[in-house]
Amino acid sequence: MTIEFKDVIIQTICRLLTPPIQLYALYVIAHGHYSPGGGFQGGCILGASFILMVIAYDIGEVKRRMAEKMNTIFCSLGVIIYSGIGAICLILGANYLDYGILHKILPVNPVRARALGTLGIEIGVGIAVMAVMISIFLNIASGGEHEGALE
Amino acid sequence: MITHAPILIIVTPLISAFFNILIGLWRRWLCYPFVITVLSACVFSSIAILDTVINYGTIHYKLGGWTPPWGIEYVIDHLNAFMAVIVSFISLIVAVYSKRSIEQELSEKIVYFYTIYLLLVTGLLGIIVTGDVFNLYVFLEIASLAGYALIAIGEDRAPLASFEYVIIGTVGACFYLLGVGYLYIVTGSLNMTDLSQLLPNLYHSKVVLVAFAFLMVGVAVKMAFFPLHVWLPDAYTYAPSTVSALVAATMTKVGAYVMIRIMFTLFKPYFSIELLPVTTVLGWIAVVAMMFGCIFAMAQSDLKRMLCYILIAEVGYIVLGVSFANRMGLTGAILHILNDAFMMACLFSVAGAIMYKIGKRDIKDFRHLHRKMPFTMAAFTIAALSVIGIPPTCGFFSKWYLILGAIDAQQWIFAVALMISSLLSAIVFFRVIENTYFEPRVPVHAHNGGTHEEIKMDEAPLSMLIPIFIMVAGILTLGIFSGKIISNVIQFAVPASF
C-alpha cells in the first residue's frame, strides 16, 4: 500500500534546512578537539540531516543520494580512519594514538601534529556515527526491508 | 614490534573487522582466510606477550604516551597473558571450525558474521589486557553487544533469547558502571594499580562497600553465576553452533577473570576475605550452582541445553576455587579456567557437528551415532570424561587442586560437594554415552531373520573434525603439562599474600 504523500511546505523547508544543518555538523566536528562538540555529536547532527530528508521525502530519495552499500562502506571507513591514524603512530615508532609523532610526516611541529591527529580521529568518528545513525534509522523505520516505508 | 604487542592484540582484530566488510563486498570467499590470518596473528602476539611476561615480568603500555593515573594504561602480568593466550587460541580454533557450519546455517550473512566475530574477539581481548576499570567497561560492552548480535542471528527463537540476554546483560553492565562511578567519586582515579593503593584507607567507607557489591553483582551477571544465570541456557542453546562454542568457552571465563581481578587486585585480598565475608558467601552460592547445574542438566533432552547447565556448574567450580582464598584453591580455579575453555569449546563444537550432520540435538536421536560419526563421538566421550574428572584428562587435575584447596581451607563440606557434583556430571554424560553406544540394535526386518539396519559412516567434514581433535589433544595433554603451567605462569598469578 502506497499513500502518496507530498506537502510543499514541509518538503521545501526541509530542503532549505538540510544544507545549514550539514554545515553546522561539519563545524561541530572540526571544533571538537578544543571546544564542546566532537566527532560523535557532529556525526549525530550529520546523520539527523539525512533522517530529516527521509521524513520529508521517502527512503528512496535518500537512498539515491546515499546508497546502502555506500553507507556500509562509510561505516567501516570511519573506524578504519580512527584506528588507522593510531596505527600510523605505531609504525612511526611511538605508542598507539600518540599523535605527537605525526610531525615526522606532517610539515608542522609536534604540538600542532597532536591537534591535527585528534582532528583526524574526530573526522573518522563523525563518519562512522553518521553512517550508523542512518543505518539504524532505515532498519527500524522499514522493519529491516529498506523498502516501502514512509511512502 | 614486540613492545607494542599489548595494543596490537586489540587493534589488529578491530581494524580487520572493518576491512573484512570491504573485502566481503568485493570477494565473499576471501573473508574466511582473512579472518583465520588475523586470528593467527592474535595468537602469535599473545604467545609473544606470554613469553615476554615469563622472562621479563609485567608489561606496562601507556596508550597515547600519557602517564598512568591520567591516561589509559594496559598492564599485562602472568594472569592477563595466560587469559589472552586462551581466548585468542580458542577463537582461532573455533574460527577454523566455523567454515562449513556457517555456510549451512547463515549463508546469507557470512561477511557480517565474521565482522562481528572479530569485534567479539576484540572486546574479550580488550577486557583482558586493560589496566583501567572504565576501559574495561567499554570493552565489556563491545564484547557483550557483539555477543547479543551473534546470538540473535541463530534459530527462530534466538532473537527472543538474545533480547532477554540484552536486558539482563545491560543491567549487569550498568551495575559494573555504577560500581566504577562510586569508586571514582571517592578516589578520583580509574587506574587499577592507582585504585588499589588509594582504596585501603577508605575500606570502611559505605561508598566503597556499595561499589564493591555493585562490581561483584555486575560481573556475576556477565559470567552467569548461579542465581543470575537465567539468560544463559536460552541464549546459548538457540545461538548458531559456532557462536555457542566461542561464547561458552570464552565469555564466562573472561567474567571469572574480571572477578578475580576485582577481588584480589583492585581490592586487597584481605578486604574480600576478612573485612567482608565475600568468600564465604561466594563459596556457598558456588556449591548451590554446581548442584543446580548438574541436576538441571540431567533433566534436559536437548544436548546443547544440557551443556549450558553443565557450563553453569563449571562456573560454580571456578568461583568455588576463588572462594577458598588460598594458594591451592586459586591455582585450581585459574587452571580450571584454561581446562574448561577447552572442554566447553570441544563439547559445543561436537554438538554443532552433530547438528550439521543429522540436524537434531535431541539425545534420544543419538542412538548408534558412534557408527555414523565415530570420530566425533570419540571426541565427545573424551571431553565428557574430562568434565567428569577422569585422570589422564585435564579436568581431573584442576579438580584435584580444587579439592586440595578445600582441604587446605578445612572446608570439608565443599570437598564433599565437589565429589558429589563430579558424580552427578558422570550421570549426566553417561546418559548420553549410553544412548549412543550401548543402546541395543533394533532389528529392522524382524520376520526375515533379524538383520540389522545398515548404518554407513558419514562423518562431519574435515574442517570441523581437525579443530575438534586439536581441542581433544589439548584436553589430553594439558593435564600432563599442568605442573609446568602452574610453575611457570599460575603461581605468579596468585597474590603473594596467599
Side-chain angles (χ1 to χ4, degrees):
Chain A
M1 187 182 71
T2 314
I3 301 166
E4 206 49 42
F5 173 78
K6 270 199 182 129
D7 191 313
V8 177
I9 297 174
I10 292 178
Q11 292 194 343
T12 313
I13 295 292
C14 288
R15 212 169 58 226
L16 286 176
L17 270 180
T18 303
I21 290 176
Q22 291 182 339
L23 198 64
Y24 180 63
L26 294 182
Y27 172 83
V28 172
I29 293 177
H31 288 256
H33 53 299
Y34 54 85
S35 67
F40 187 83
Q41 292 84 340
C44 279
I45 300 172
L46 205 51
S49 74
F50 284 93
I51 291 171
L52 187 66
M53 294 292 282
V54 179
I55 293 172
Y57 292 86
D58 58 26
I59 286 183
E61 175 72 21
V62 170
K63 281 174 89 175
R64 260 202 300 287
R65 289 158 199 268
M66 177 77 118
E68 198 198 339
K69 203 168 183 181
M70 201 63 195
N71 202 23
T72 312
I73 292 175
F74 270 132
C75 177
S76 38
L77 191 69
V79 185
I80 290 175
I81 292 176
Y82 170 83
S83 38
I85 291 177
I88 292 173
C89 304
L90 270 183
I91 293 165
L92 292 175
N95 278 4
Y96 188 71
L97 292 182
D98 193 352
Y99 317 116
I101 198 76
L102 289 174
H103 76 270
K104 282 189 182 171
I105 51 168
L106 295 173
V108 286
N109 61 350
V111 179
R112 190 97 190 104
R114 193 171 274 279
L116 285 176
T118 319
L119 177 62
I121 296 273
E122 300 283 8
I123 290 171
V125 173
I127 291 174
V129 169
M130 173 203 71
V132 172
M133 285 276 292
I134 297 173
S135 169
I136 290 177
F137 181 81
L138 289 187
N139 273 307
I140 292 181
S142 63
E145 301 296 323
H146 285 245
E147 300 293 340
L150 299 173
E151 276 175 1
Chain B
M1 239 19 204
I2 194 70
T3 49
H4 294 299
I7 190 73
L8 279 178
I9 200 174
I10 299 169
V11 171
T12 320
L14 178 65
I15 295 189
S16 318
F18 291 94
F19 268 117
N20 185 53
I21 295 183
L22 302 183
I23 290 174
L25 287 177
W26 179 54
R27 291 279 183 278
R28 251 157 85 99
W29 60 270
L30 268 177
C31 283
Y32 176 73
F34 179 70
V35 168
I36 300 295
T37 320
V38 170
L39 291 174
S40 309
C42 278
V43 173
F44 181 76
S45 37
S46 64
I47 290 174
I49 290 173
L50 183 63
D51 187 57
T52 317
V53 169
I54 289 174
N55 290 324
Y56 305 104
T58 310
I59 303 174
H60 295 267
Y61 189 87
K62 300 184 191 78
L63 211 64
W66 302 100
T67 40
W70 297 281
I72 296 170
E73 182 192 26
Y74 285 1
V75 185
I76 303 189
D77 60 12
H78 289 79
L79 184 57
N80 303 45
F82 176 72
M83 288 298 298
V85 172
I86 298 174
V87 168
S88 54
F89 187 73
I90 293 283
S91 51
L92 172 65
I93 295 287
V94 176
V96 173
Y97 165 88
S98 71
K99 186 171 194 291
R100 297 292 288 271
S101 118
I102 291 304
E103 277 170 6
Q104 190 197 43
E105 288 176 34
L106 315 159
S107 56
E108 296 294 302
K109 299 171 187 160
I110 293 179
V111 178
Y112 297 107
F113 171 83
Y114 281 120
T115 300
I116 306 175
Y117 189 99
L118 283 176
L119 284 176
L120 175 60
V121 176
T122 309
L124 292 173
L125 289 173
I127 295 173
I128 290 165
V129 296
T130 189
D132 184 285
V133 281
F134 187 77
N135 201 234
L136 197 153
Y137 167 75
V138 173
F139 281 118
L140 195 69
E141 282 294 86
I142 293 178
S144 306
L145 288 173
Y148 306 145
L150 284 178
I151 288 166
I153 56 177
E155 296 165 21
D156 287 347
R157 290 181 62 186
L160 183 63
S162 177
F163 184 66
E164 272 175 30
Y165 182 21
V166 169
I167 305 269
I168 300 175
T170 309
V171 171
C174 284
F175 277 9
Y176 180 84
L177 187 62
L178 274 174
V180 171
Y182 281 150
L183 289 185
Y184 187 69
I185 290 170
V186 288
T187 61
S189 175
L190 293 169
N191 185 280
M192 283 188 197
T193 329
D194 200 31
L195 276 173
S196 72
Q197 283 159 4
L198 290 170
L199 279 174
N201 300 326
L202 302 161
Y203 274 167
H204 292 283
S205 148
K206 290 278 190 297
V207 183
V208 174
L209 297 181
V210 171
F212 183 77
F214 270 129
L215 290 176
M216 291 301 278
V217 175
V219 173
V221 170
K222 289 286 174 192
M223 68 191 281
F225 187 46
F226 164 60
L228 305 168
H229 67 276
V230 280
W231 55 269
L232 188 139
D234 272 350
Y236 287 10
T237 307
Y238 300 121
S241 32
T242 313
V243 177
S244 309
L246 178 70
V247 290
T250 51
M251 285 270 258
T252 47
K253 311 298 169 292
V254 170
Y257 156 79
V258 178
M259 181 176 260
I260 295 175
R261 270 273 170 255
I262 292 172
M263 283 176 72
F264 301 131
T265 307
L266 193 55
F267 290 84
K268 300 262 185 253
Y270 73 84
F271 175 81
S272 331
I273 299 166
E274 287 155 25
L275 283 178
L276 284 178
V278 184
T279 49
T280 321
V281 176
L282 280 184
W284 283 105
I285 303 178
V287 168
V288 179
M290 277 153 43
M291 298 300 166
F292 170 88
C294 289
I295 291 171
F296 266 69
M298 262 186 245
Q300 306 305 323
S301 58
D302 182 330
L303 177 67
K304 254 170 124 180
R305 187 172 273 274
M306 184 196 99
L307 293 177
C308 289
Y309 281 103
I310 289 288
L311 178 62
I312 293 168
E314 297 289 320
V315 172
Y317 284 120
I318 298 171
V319 178
L320 186 65
V322 174
S323 77
F324 292 144
N326 56 28
R327 186 160 274 278
M328 280 298 171
L330 196 56
T331 306
I334 297 171
L335 193 61
H336 202 68
I337 289 178
L338 167 69
N339 297 344
D340 195 43
F342 272 84
M343 295 183 309
M344 282 301 148
C346 187
L347 286 170
F348 275 95
S349 307
V350 167
I354 295 173
M355 191 64 189
Y356 177 81
K357 267 295 162 200
I358 68 173
K360 291 171 196 158
R361 291 194 310 248
D362 202 314
I363 295 168
K364 289 192 188 70
D365 297 324
F366 288 4
R367 187 178 295 179
H368 305 311
L369 201 59
H370 68 294
R371 290 175 188 278
K372 199 176 175 194
M373 310 174 75
F375 298 112
T376 313
M377 290 319 290
F380 178 83
T381 312
I382 293 172
L385 292 180
S386 178
V387 175
I388 298 164
I390 307 286
T393 55
C394 61
F396 167 74
F397 291 87
S398 43
K399 276 194 186 166
W400 178 249
Y401 280 102
L402 287 177
I403 291 179
L404 284 183
I407 294 169
D408 262 12
Q410 304 205 320
Q411 299 280 13
W412 308 108
I413 300 176
F414 290 172
V416 173
L418 273 166
M419 288 172 200
I420 291 176
S421 82
S422 295
L423 285 177
L424 289 178
S425 56
I427 297 172
V428 170
F429 279 106
F430 272 102
R431 199 166 61 102
V432 181
I433 292 170
E434 192 193 349
N435 232 315
T436 317
Y437 285 89
F438 303 123
E439 197 72 9
R441 301 180 67 183
V442 186
V444 198
H445 307 294
H447 53 277
N448 64 9
T451 46
H452 293 297
E453 188 186 0
E454 271 306 307
I455 301 172
K456 285 209 183 103
M457 195 174 126
D458 184 17
E459 254 303 345
L462 269 185
S463 68
M464 286 179 157
L465 274 185
I466 292 175
I468 289 177
F469 271 86
I470 293 176
M471 285 182 274
V472 168
I475 290 172
L476 289 174
T477 49
L478 282 174
I480 297 159
F481 290 109
S482 60
K484 214 164 194 156
I485 297 172
I486 290 170
S487 64
N488 277 324
V489 184
I490 297 180
Q491 65 157 321
F492 301 104
V494 179
S497 59
F498 281 6

